[in-house]
Amino acid sequence: MNLARQAASAVLAAAALAGAVSVGAGDAAAQPSTAGASLCNSAAFTGSLSTGSLALGSLADPAYLCAQPGDLLDVRIGDVHATQPSLGYDEVYYKLGRYTLGKDAINKKFDDWCEANGQSKAATAAPNATLSDPASFTCEVPLGQETAESIAPMKTVVIGPGGRPYLTDGHHTLTSFYELADGGPDLHVRLRVLGNLSGLSPKDFWAEMKQNKWVWDRDVDGNPVAVEKLPDGIGLTNFADDRYRSLMYFARDIGFTAGTIPFQEFYWGSWVRGASGVDLDTWNRNDLSSYLDTVKRVTTAQTALPADSVVEAGFTARELGALPQWNDGKAEGKGEFAKLSKPYSDEKPGKLAYALEYKRGLN
């Protein structure tokens, strides 16, 4: 082992044992780990990076270790670790249906990638454009000209022990990219860093994640899931299918507005499963009329909740984005519910139609 690697390994070992994270009672994001910062500022570490001699074991990319809160971090999506055990499969099916069966002038996958990358929507795409070739399409906001508005919808990540990136929002979007022919584990996208907890032990890391509500550790029936059992990466086969989470995705802007609380739809899904009082026994997830009826009944119950009523985990209906009126006050044939109701035969099909059409192709 050469001297540079010896020095860098010594610093890394010290960082694994030392350092603490300071989080104020009202902080929205954790502050960077002292150990991680010390490591990144050390001459041994930076020198080893420049010579390529640093051995970091299971660390996927040294850049992850040095990411600071607020950074827009370029990641290989195959490197991210999950912080939830399940997905709403029907949301992923909608996205994959839209990407592969869509009727948009510019494929929606480019819009979604640009949004996830902090660059708003797609501006242009060549006829043979692919996600794996960013030069084949352009986004409305050029790199380096991001705004607070373009950054706000970005997916988020926390840096954990060893510099591993833990996804706290975006499991559905990144899984959809992962499943595409021009996506997969080697696809890159930027994530907004919420915190760097790389200097904590695994036990303290997960305690901090739970305290900040940056992990969803319940299965599809609401039972606790040990953090050691969470999926190591993304991709449909890594996750269980949570039908309540699917339902709440299609309830957006009809019963509630999506906000900035991680796992917002899971909190609402827990409410649907337990306290909503809505009977889901007749729900047929493969039939458009049945799905729409179920969305309507659930969102009607949602909007009937008092704003200050606690829904789940201490969050009130207001905090979880419940709308004061069903369908934002619009008639059934208008607004978001009308958009959701459009069949696949329509010029602009609804999200449910795309999900069901894609599922039909799987059979």
Side-chain angles (χ1 to χ4, degrees), residues 50-217:
S50 65
T51 60
S53 63
L54 179 58
L56 291 175
S58 60
L59 178 63
D61 186 331
Y64 300 158
L65 186 67
C66 300
Q68 300 300 305
D71 284 355
L72 308 185
L73 179 67
D74 180 86
V75 303
R76 174 184 174 274
I77 66 173
D79 291 342
V80 300
H81 296 255
T83 55
Q84 62 190 54
S86 59
L87 294 175
Y89 270 33
D90 287 346
E91 177 180 344
V92 177
Y93 291 151
Y94 152 66
K95 292 178 184 293
L96 293 176
R98 188 75 176 266
Y99 300 162
T100 59
L101 307 168
K103 303 180 180 183
D104 306 288
I106 296 179
N107 194 309
K108 186 68 164 56
K109 66 185 177 182
F110 299 117
D111 278 338
D112 289 354
W113 187 92
C114 288
E115 180 181 85
N117 209 53
Q119 297 180 263
S120 192
K121 297 179 180 179
T124 64
N128 59 345
T130 62
L131 286 179
S132 56
D133 180 13
S136 64
F137 61 95
T138 64
C139 303
E140 289 182 350
V141 177
L143 283 174
Q145 298 181 29
E146 297 82 1
T147 64
E149 184 178 8
S150 72
I151 290 172
M154 290 181 71
K155 310 311 178 186
T156 53
V157 68
V158 171
I159 308 304
R164 298 176 187 87
Y166 286 83
L167 193 64
T168 54
D169 178 47
H171 293 77
H172 292 78
T173 296
L174 266 64
T175 289
S176 300
F177 293 161
Y178 187 97
E179 297 293 335
L180 286 172
D182 58 339
D186 290 328
L187 184 72
H188 280 247
V189 70
R190 292 186 303 176
L191 302 174
R192 180 164 51 83
V193 180
L194 289 182
N196 187 324
L197 308 179
S198 59
L200 299 181
S201 68
K203 179 180 178 180
D204 290 341
F205 167 73
W206 285 113
E208 196 71 38
M209 292 289 283
K210 290 180 180 181
Q211 180 178 328
N212 285 295
K213 297 182 178 177
W214 286 341
V215 58
W216 180 260
D217 56 353

Side-chain angles (χ1 to χ4, degrees), residues 292 296 326-327 329-339 341:
L292 285 168
K296 183 178 180 180
W326 182 79
N327 200 28
K330 299 177 177 66
E332 184 172 321
K334 303 289 184 179
E336 197 63 27
F337 191 79
K339 293 179 184 178
S341 303

